[in-house]
């Protein structure tokens, strides 16, 4: 029986030459597919490899007993990555938000902003609930009453700031002066922080000097992202209100934004090298890891489990509920930002690569991503809310303090509120735990226990934070697409109605003067009709 083969869908008589041609074309297509896959995912492969190589490099160098100075030199390439990312954050946040706010009309801006804020608050509140629930189920602090900072060789960390002043500081640094950006750019990296001084106010009847604690303003290090976000949003809306006069400045910020994204694309190719040394240097700097893990293992386990539940189940379900699309196919295009978040422990440092991957790999509208993601990096801290709630309950259990329903409610609300504007930097969440502890009346001298293992927990915390931002951008992109389709459908129906009205008016010579007047109005001012409908 003669052997048959097919080339381009046509049956041909089988022969050795044709079979070789078919096999060669099949091999070529497989090779092309493999090369295309490697070309598209090269950065992802290099980034993941950088983490793995960094772990091995750190374990190898750890046995060399480096001095403190040598450790600093070893960590230098990783430090350069962090400095590159911090360098690009300021122009990226300002330009992307100004161009994004200016490209959306006020109605769309308000609607998208309202949906985004609702999404961020609801997901953060859910995350806080997960954290409190896991803390009461796992009980990480029960039986650890003898654990303190002394037997672990840790320095004590305390905070005497009033809860009211903590939230007032949040409002203060929400407003950043324009002169800081142009005349003193390093001021954009300052937080307003309240400190206290004792002021003599007189004497009592015994002649003893009476003192009052008076709050005074100080400045602390940290990128003031919240102030930049609010300024850029309001400035973008103001430019749009100017009309033609503001168009040139809007084009300037659009061009500035595109140039910034080019810089981001260059920096992303250095990420694998920087991550390798970041991870390796952190492993070299670790001291007695076994003691910390055995002492605080239940706390670490509860925090990471909460991140897995929220990031692997809750957030994907929310995304699927809105879009009816596979959330994991969306997340698969964001491996590079997730790896960057895991290595840098900074939502702000992950923002440049997140914007680029969301737009290029997942097709999210630039107006949506460059407007929502900088806001999300500032106000959406789902991962931080989880570990903050677990840490608060852990410290309560550590001090054998029974939490009542009012205190639990206070933890949920305070963790949700204090996560807004928290510094998107490594160990930034430790500061907000002090606010929660002060709110429920617990001592803050055990915060050093959290700081000791924060370098472990903060990695999964940052990954969950940026995942919530990315899925929020995907949800808003889907809602915006649906609104655009609905509007286009309405415009098509309106055009059909208009055509039918004109045809009927031409066919009927005798008609009501009212109908004739309405038909002429339809022909003359279609824009007015669209706005009314």
């Amino acid at each position: 029986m003669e052997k048959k083969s097919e080339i381009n869908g046509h049956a041909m008589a089988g022969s050795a030459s044709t079979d070789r041609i078919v096999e060669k074309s099949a091999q070529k297509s497989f090779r092309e597919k493999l090369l295309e896959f490697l070309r598209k995912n090269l950065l992802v492969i290099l980034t993941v490899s950088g983490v793995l190589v960094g772990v091995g490099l750190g374990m190898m160098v750890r046995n060399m007993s480096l001095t403190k100075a040598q450790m600093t030199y070893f960590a230098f390439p990783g430090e350069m990555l962090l400095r590159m990312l911090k360098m690009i954050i300021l122009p990226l946040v300002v330009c992307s938000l100004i161009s994004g706010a200016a490209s959306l009309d006020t109605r769309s801006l308000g609607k998208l902003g309202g949906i985004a804020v609702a999404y961020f608050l609801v997901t953060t509140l859910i995350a806080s609930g997960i954290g409190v629930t896991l803390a009461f189920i796992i009980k990480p602090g029960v039986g650890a009453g003898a654990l303190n900072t002394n037997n672990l060789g840790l320095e004590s960390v305390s905070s005497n700031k009033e809860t009211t002043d903590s939230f007032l500081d949040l409002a203060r640094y929400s407003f950043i002066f324009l002169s800081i950006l142009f005349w003193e750019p390093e001021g954009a990296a300052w937080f307003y922080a309240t400190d206290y001084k004792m002021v003599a106010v007189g004497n009592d009847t015994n002649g003893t000097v009476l003192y009052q604690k008076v709050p005074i303003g100080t400045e602390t290090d940290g990128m003031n992202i919240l102030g930049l976000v609010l300024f850029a949003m309001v400035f973008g809306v103001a430019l749009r209100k100017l009309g033609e006069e503001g168009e040139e400045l809007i084009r300037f910020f659009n061009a500035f934004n595109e140039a910034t994204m080019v810089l981001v694309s260059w920096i992303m190719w250095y990420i694998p090298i920087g991550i390798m040394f970041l991870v390796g240097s952190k492993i070299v700097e670790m001291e007695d890891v076994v003691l910390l893990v055995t002492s605080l293992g239940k706390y670490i386990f509860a925090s990471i489990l909460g991140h897995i539940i929220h990031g692997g189940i809750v957030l994907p379900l929310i995304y699927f509920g809105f879009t009816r699309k596979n959330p994991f196919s969306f997340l698969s295009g964001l491996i590079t930002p997730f790896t960057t978040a895991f290595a840098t422990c900074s939502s702000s440092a992950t923002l440049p690569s997140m914007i680029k991957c969301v737009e290029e790999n997942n097709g999210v509208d630039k107006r949506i991503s460059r407007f929502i993601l900088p806001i999300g990096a500032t106000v959406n801290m789902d991962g931080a809310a989880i570990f903050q709630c677990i840490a608060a309950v852990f410290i309560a259990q550590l001090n054998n303090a029974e939490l009542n329903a009012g205190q639990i409610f206070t933890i949920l609300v305070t963790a949700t509120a204090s996560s807004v504007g928290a510094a998107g930097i490594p160990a930034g969440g430790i500061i907000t735990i002090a606010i929660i502890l002060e709110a429920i009346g617990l001592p803050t001298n055990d915060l050093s226990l959290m700081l000791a293992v924060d370098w472990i927990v903060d990695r999964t915390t940052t990954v969950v934070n940026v995942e919530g931002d990315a899925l929020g951008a995907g949800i808003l992109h889907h809602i915006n697409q649906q609104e655009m389709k609905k509007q286009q459908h309405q415009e098509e129906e309106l055009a059909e109605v208009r055509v039918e009205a004109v045809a009927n008016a031409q066919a009927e010579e005798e008609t009501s003067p009212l109908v004739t007047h309405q038909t002429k109005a339809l022909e003359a001012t279609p824009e007015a009709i669209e706005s009314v409908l």
Side-chain angles (χ1 to χ4, degrees), residues 215-253:
I216 58 173
T218 60
E219 292 168 345
T220 59
D221 292 334
M223 183 70 75
N224 187 358
I225 294 293
L226 183 61
L228 294 174
V229 165
L230 290 178
F231 165 75
M233 285 176 56
V234 175
F235 193 69
V237 174
L239 286 180
R240 185 174 180 86
K241 288 292 184 182
L242 285 178
E244 294 183 357
E245 295 179 359
E247 287 182 359
E248 291 188 6
L249 197 53
I250 292 174
R251 284 196 294 269
F252 164 76
F253 279 110

Side-chain angles (χ1 to χ4, degrees), residues 304-525:
I304 294 178
L305 180 61
H307 294 152
I308 292 173
I309 293 174
H310 191 72
I313 299 174
V314 176
L315 290 177
L317 282 178
I318 293 175
Y319 177 84
F320 177 77
F322 276 96
T323 64
R324 301 299 177 187
K325 297 178 181 178
N326 185 0
F328 297 104
S329 63
F330 182 90
L331 295 175
S332 63
L334 305 175
I335 297 178
T336 298
F338 290 156
T339 309
T340 306
F342 183 84
T344 62
C345 299
S346 172
S347 301
S348 301
T350 312
L351 183 60
S353 61
M354 177 61 75
I355 291 178
K356 185 174 179 62
C357 291
V358 160
E359 293 174 359
E360 294 184 357
N361 298 342
N362 293 326
V364 174
D365 192 337
K366 291 182 179 180
R367 296 173 301 173
I368 302 294
S369 62
R370 300 182 187 185
F371 174 71
I372 295 300
L373 289 177
I375 300 175
T378 307
V379 303
N380 187 35
M381 299 289 177
D382 295 354
I386 290 174
F387 97 86
Q388 287 167 10
C389 290
I390 293 177
V393 178
F394 168 77
I395 292 176
Q397 294 171 350
L398 196 66
N399 291 275
N400 296 319
E402 293 289 336
L403 296 176
N404 55 39
Q407 289 175 314
I408 294 173
F409 179 77
T410 303
I411 290 175
L412 292 174
V413 175
T414 309
T416 303
S418 62
S419 65
V420 177
I425 57 175
I430 296 295
I431 303 170
T432 58
I433 297 178
I435 301 176
I436 302 173
L437 295 177
E438 291 286 351
I440 60 178
L442 287 177
T444 59
N445 55 346
D446 290 322
L447 280 178
S448 56
L449 296 174
M450 309 296 97
L451 192 60
V453 294
D454 186 69
W455 63 272
I456 300 175
V457 177
D458 203 18
R459 301 186 184 280
T460 54
T461 295
T462 310
V463 172
V464 174
N465 288 343
V466 300
E467 179 191 356
D469 301 342
L471 291 177
I475 291 172
L476 288 174
H477 173 72
H478 175 78
I479 294 174
N480 186 56
Q481 291 292 104
Q482 295 297 319
E483 289 291 330
M484 290 176 62
K485 290 179 180 177
K486 184 178 178 181
Q487 184 179 2
Q488 185 178 4
H489 182 65
Q490 289 178 348
E491 290 176 354
E492 291 176 355
E493 289 183 347
L494 186 62
E496 292 178 1
V497 171
R498 178 172 170 272
V499 170
E500 291 178 359
V502 172
N504 292 335
Q506 292 176 351
E508 298 179 5
E509 294 180 356
E510 295 183 0
T511 184
S512 168
L514 179 60
V515 175
T516 305
H517 176 71
Q518 290 178 345
T519 303
K520 291 180 178 180
L522 285 170
E523 295 177 355
T525 59

